[in-house]
């Protein structure tokens, strides 16, 4: 039953973003989702709190959580036998892979991030999710038991990622080339500062 509920929750989440992009509605109701997924109103209410239907962050968090899980699983496989790439290269690869996952939903992210006030709101609502992703990424790359150092690095990478999101959303092309160039440039700056302060070892 739990797996079935999770599958339905994901279908509803996918439907939410599909409706958002096609209709550009600022508010999507439960009836829209039921119709899109061909499920009953009562069935949807069993797995989604009623007050969450109109909360755009409810589905946004579900989406990003799923994409992040996929990203980290794929990244773990990619680097499992990589003994050549540097820590810097691996972190850049992980961040790039995350943006590749986001690319499919770029139009939806643009709609949800329109205006400075909304972007700031998104930043604070997703702060924990971004931190958890960066922490998971660093665990795969470095496996450093020092929690304080990992926290500092996670925060730094989170700030970098939020800035890169701006580049990602402003880019009109259907690729992430400009975003990756930005990541590459400013990740090097973070690495230089980290080496200088002793947080990152060469």
């Amino acid at each position: 039953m739990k797996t079935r509920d999770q599958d339905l929750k994901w279908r509803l989440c996918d439907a939410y973003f599909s409706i958002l992009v096609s209709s550009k509605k600022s508010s999507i109701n439960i009836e829209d989702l039921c119709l899109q997924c061909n499920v009953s109103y009562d069935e949807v209410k069993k797995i989604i709190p009623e007050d969450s239907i109109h909360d755009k962050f409810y589905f946004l968090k579900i989406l990003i959580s799923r994409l992040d899980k996929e990203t980290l699983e794929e990244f773990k496989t990619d680097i499992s036998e990589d003994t050549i790439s540097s820590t810097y290269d691996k972190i850049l690869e992980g961040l790039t892979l995350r943006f590749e996952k986001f690319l499919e939903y770029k139009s939806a992210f643009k709609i949800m991030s329109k205006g400075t006030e909304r972007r700031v709101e998104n930043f604070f609502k997703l702060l924990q999710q971004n931190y958890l992703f960066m922490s998971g990424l660093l665990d795969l790359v470095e496996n450093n038991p020092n929690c304080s150092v990992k926290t500092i690095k996670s925060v730094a990478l989170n700030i970098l990622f939020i800035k890169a999101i701006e580049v990602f959303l402003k880019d009109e092309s259907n690729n992430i080339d400009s975003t990756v160039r930005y990541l590459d440039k400013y990740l090097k700056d973070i690495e230089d500062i980290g080496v200088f302060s002793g947080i990152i070892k060469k």
Side-chain angles (χ1 to χ4, degrees), residues 30-46:
I30 194 169
E31 288 79 9
D32 292 330
L33 296 177
C34 292
L35 187 62
Q36 182 83 359
C37 293
N38 194 26
V39 293
S40 71
Y41 180 87
D42 290 337
E43 193 173 2
V44 172
K45 285 189 68 176
K46 285 179 185 177

Side-chain angles (χ1 to χ4, degrees), residues 16 19-29 32 52-57 59 108 111-114 118 121:
Y16 178 90
I19 295 169
L20 180 71
V21 171
S22 62
S23 68
K24 295 182 171 56
K25 286 183 178 180
S26 58
S27 177
I28 297 170
N29 59 45
D32 292 330
S52 297
I53 293 295
H54 301 293
D55 177 10
K56 68 178 186 288
F57 292 106
F59 288 109
I111 295 169
M112 298 183 81
S113 303
K114 194 172 182 179
R118 278 191 182 181
E121 188 180 10

Side-chain angles (χ1 to χ4, degrees), residues 148-201:
S148 297
V149 171
K150 187 172 79 169
T151 298
I152 293 171
K153 289 181 180 180
S154 295
V155 170
L157 290 176
N158 196 7
I159 292 170
L160 168 65
F161 187 83
I162 294 301
K163 290 181 176 179
I165 279 284
E166 289 286 326
V167 177
F168 176 72
L169 293 176
K170 287 177 181 177
D171 187 359
E172 296 299 328
S173 66
N174 194 32
N175 60 62
I176 59 170
D177 293 349
S178 62
T179 306
V180 173
R181 285 195 296 271
Y182 179 93
L183 286 171
D184 190 21
K185 180 182 185 303
Y186 287 96
L187 189 57
K188 283 175 182 171
D189 292 343
I190 289 177
E191 183 184 48
D192 290 342
I193 293 170
V195 171
F196 180 75
S197 62
I199 295 172
I200 297 174
K201 305 297 182 185

Side-chain angles (χ1 to χ4, degrees), residues 51-195:
D51 59 349
S52 297
I53 293 295
H54 301 293
D55 177 10
K56 68 178 186 288
F57 292 106
Y58 178 78
F59 288 109
L60 185 59
K61 286 177 180 178
I62 291 174
L63 174 65
I64 290 181
S65 177
R66 176 165 177 144
L67 294 179
D68 283 353
K69 182 181 178 182
E70 291 175 359
T71 299
L72 291 176
E73 287 176 352
E74 189 173 327
F75 179 66
K76 182 178 180 180
T77 301
D78 288 347
I79 66 168
S80 61
E81 297 180 4
D82 185 352
T83 58
I84 299 173
S85 299
S86 65
T87 296
Y88 170 88
D89 290 333
K90 289 177 181 178
I91 290 175
L92 180 60
E93 180 184 347
L95 294 177
T96 299
L97 185 57
R98 194 184 192 204
F99 273 109
E100 287 176 351
K101 296 288 184 182
F102 280 14
L103 189 58
E104 181 182 350
Y105 298 91
K106 186 175 182 178
S107 296
F109 291 159
K110 280 188 173 186
I111 295 169
M112 298 183 81
S113 303
K114 194 172 182 179
T116 304
E117 188 175 325
R118 278 191 182 181
R119 286 198 295 275
V120 171
E121 188 180 10
N122 288 350
F123 170 77
F124 285 108
K125 289 285 187 178
L126 299 174
L127 191 60
Q128 183 181 19
Q129 186 63 43
N130 285 328
Y131 173 81
L132 290 174
F133 175 83
M134 297 309 169
S135 181
L137 179 66
L138 289 170
D139 282 341
L140 291 174
V141 172
E142 298 180 322
N143 195 24
N144 189 337
N146 190 322
C147 291
S148 297
V149 171
K150 187 172 79 169
T151 298
I152 293 171
K153 289 181 180 180
S154 295
V155 170
L157 290 176
N158 196 7
I159 292 170
L160 168 65
F161 187 83
I162 294 301
K163 290 181 176 179
I165 279 284
E166 289 286 326
V167 177
F168 176 72
L169 293 176
K170 287 177 181 177
D171 187 359
E172 296 299 328
S173 66
N174 194 32
N175 60 62
I176 59 170
D177 293 349
S178 62
T179 306
V180 173
R181 285 195 296 271
Y182 179 93
L183 286 171
D184 190 21
K185 180 182 185 303
Y186 287 96
L187 189 57
K188 283 175 182 171
D189 292 343
I190 289 177
E191 183 184 48
D192 290 342
I193 293 170
V195 171

